[in-house]
Amino acid sequence: MDLLLWRHAEAVEGLPDSTRELTERGVRQAHKVAEWLESRRPKKLRVLVSPTVRTRQTASAFTKDFEIVPALGPGNDISSILGACGWPGGGGSVLVVGHQPELGRLAALLLSGQEADWTIKKGALWWFSNRVRDDETQTVLRVVMPADLV
């Protein structure tokens, strides 16, 4: 299974949090990462998005075909995100467009086995794969792509 974690691009400050929109810079970030991802897109990719405006705008730079999943909203726990995407045994490929600190904590769990306060930059994409080698399940970090390096 492939699991892609994409933190929403830069958004304006303000309240209510759920209606914050991308800045002009954020729109550029989202389009740059989306263009990079399009040329490497896994087959049968499911795109799951937090209900916030900024995550939906980020995902829209890549596709209009996404599912809004409340469990991906700010403040939810990591087990909710894992359950929503089916990691690790769900098969196929899932792109999660979400938030800090949840995505950073999930990345830490996948790579170290423990949740920790890791930071994923705004607009960045982290791509993980799950595989079995010698009867051992392994998580492989395939790519970390910050928006400013695309």
Side-chain angles (χ1 to χ4, degrees), residues 27-45:
V27 171
R28 288 191 305 273
Q29 289 173 334
H31 282 281
K32 288 168 84 174
V33 173
E35 184 178 318
W36 181 88
L37 182 57
E38 183 59 42
S39 65
R40 294 156 180 86
R41 157 186 222 130
K43 293 180 181 173
K44 297 185 180 181
L45 178 64

Side-chain angles (χ1 to χ4, degrees), residues 8-26:
H8 67 79
E10 182 182 270
V12 298
E13 296 297 323
L15 294 173
D17 182 64
S18 63
T19 62
R20 293 173 44 214
E21 296 186 356
L22 296 183
T23 63
E24 288 182 29
R25 179 176 184 229

Side-chain angles (χ1 to χ4, degrees), residues 72-128:
L72 303 180
N76 284 306
D77 59 32
I78 304 310
S79 62
S80 297
I81 299 172
L82 291 171
C85 65
W87 178 270
S93 301
V94 177
L95 170 62
V96 172
V97 184
H99 305 274
Q100 271 298 103
E102 294 83 12
L103 292 184
R105 289 181 183 149
L106 178 53
L109 177 65
L110 295 177
L111 290 177
S112 73
Q114 296 181 353
E115 286 185 35
D117 289 327
W118 289 8
T119 299
I120 294 180
K121 288 182 70 172
K122 291 176 184 162
L125 177 80
W126 289 42
W127 188 331
F128 299 89

